[in-house]
Amino acid sequence: MKSRIVRILVGVGIGLALLACGIGVLIRTLGEREVLYQGKSRDDWGEQIKSPNTAASNQASQVLNQEIIPRLTKTMFEDTNDSSLRVALVENLNTLPGVNILFRMADSRRADAAMGLGEFGPAADAAVPALHQALQGHDVAVRGPAAVSLGKIHGQPEVIIPLLIRYLDEDDLKEAAAEALGEYGSLSKTAIPKLLLLYKVRDKDLHHAVGEALNRIDPIAAAQVGARMDGPPPGVPKATDH
């Protein structure tokens, strides 16, 4: 009798161990993993591209243009499907104690890709056409992030700035367009009349975004309407009193 109980307990233990291993495999399989490019993350390459070491900077630029931009662009436009089975498994496994599987839906992944293209600033100039296309598209998940990234890259101002000014009239893009225009600095001076009107709108987030944009574009104009922040934003000289 005792040996039978022992066999049962051993069998239960083995079963539980196999179940735990199976769950562990599922967790590793279903969870998102950080994408690496030649063994480095986007952040690592972003730092390297700023390096004063020309060879290191050139290497990062090559990886950016040949690997990172194409991959993020593909994700931004083509990552549109989520497996219902995978989503269900993740949701159920995350209810277990101690389990936290990182998983984002497709729209979040596309938005992250659009934002990621702007993380490299002017070095990602090759991404401007794709971001321009995304901004003018119908995917609400990427339009705002695409606008913000265009501002961070601040390429093709003669094309992008008029487009951003136009999008100041669209409810879902007002904040992103204002932020992007601010990134272009004084090149966006033609946007000031519209930004001044938007600054009067009673919307806390929009008010803040427009105020920051005005400070970057024309600190003196910002001060005149009471939009001056506590000190100038990075890269903007302090306005002198007249």
Side-chain angles (χ1 to χ4, degrees):
M1 184 70 172
K2 185 183 292 186
S3 60
R4 184 181 177 188
I5 293 174
V6 170
R7 286 198 301 271
I8 291 172
L9 291 175
V10 170
V12 170
I14 292 173
L16 290 174
L18 290 173
L19 178 61
C21 288
I23 291 175
V25 170
L26 279 174
I27 290 172
R28 289 192 295 274
T29 303
L30 297 171
E32 287 188 43
R33 298 179 183 178
E34 184 177 24
V35 177
L36 299 179
Y37 303 87
Q38 296 189 20
K40 294 184 180 180
S41 68
R42 274 179 4 210
D43 289 342
D44 290 336
W45 287 116
E47 287 301 313
Q48 184 170 324
I49 211 165
K50 304 172 191 172
S51 171
N53 183 308
T54 303
S57 179
N58 286 343
Q59 181 195 21
S61 180
Q62 185 177 31
V63 172
L64 171 63
N65 286 287
Q66 294 182 0
E67 298 185 35
I68 299 176
I69 290 177
R71 178 155 187 161
L72 293 179
T73 299
K74 182 178 176 66
T75 298
M76 182 172 66
F77 287 121
E78 299 180 17
D79 189 356
T80 57
N81 296 314
D82 286 306
S83 164
S84 56
L85 175 60
R86 183 180 182 185
V87 172
L89 284 170
V90 170
E91 289 177 349
N92 283 282
L93 286 170
N94 277 341
T95 63
L96 297 176
V99 176
N100 183 24
I101 302 173
L102 174 63
F103 178 77
R104 297 168 301 164
M105 300 298 286
D107 56 352
S108 178
R109 298 193 298 269
R110 294 196 307 278
D112 176 71
M115 288 295 291
L117 289 168
E119 290 172 0
F120 291 86
D125 187 66
V128 169
L131 289 167
H132 186 188
Q133 180 183 343
L135 176 59
Q136 293 183 296
H138 301 289
D139 187 349
V140 295
V142 302
R143 295 184 77 207
V148 173
S149 283
L150 284 167
K152 290 179 178 178
I153 297 170
H154 46 263
Q156 301 181 21
E158 69 287 348
V159 174
I160 304 301
I161 289 176
L163 185 63
L164 292 171
I165 292 173
R166 194 174 83 203
Y167 286 135
L168 288 173
D169 294 325
E170 296 199 13
D171 289 338
D172 63 328
L173 284 174
K174 281 182 169 67
E175 290 176 36
E179 181 179 341
L181 286 164
E183 293 282 358
Y184 278 93
S186 60
L187 293 176
S188 294
K189 282 197 171 182
T190 51
I192 289 178
K194 269 194 176 182
L195 290 170
L196 290 175
L197 288 174
L198 285 177
Y199 190 70
K200 299 176 183 179
V201 175
R202 293 187 177 182
D203 180 304
K204 183 178 179 181
D205 292 335
L206 178 61
H207 194 76
H208 181 75
V210 171
E212 287 200 337
L214 286 169
N215 271 276
R216 288 178 175 271
I217 297 167
D218 188 339
I220 296 176
Q224 288 173 346
V225 295
R228 190 61 188 268
M229 306 298 175
D230 295 331
V236 176
K238 184 176 180 180
T240 55
D241 296 326
H242 294 282

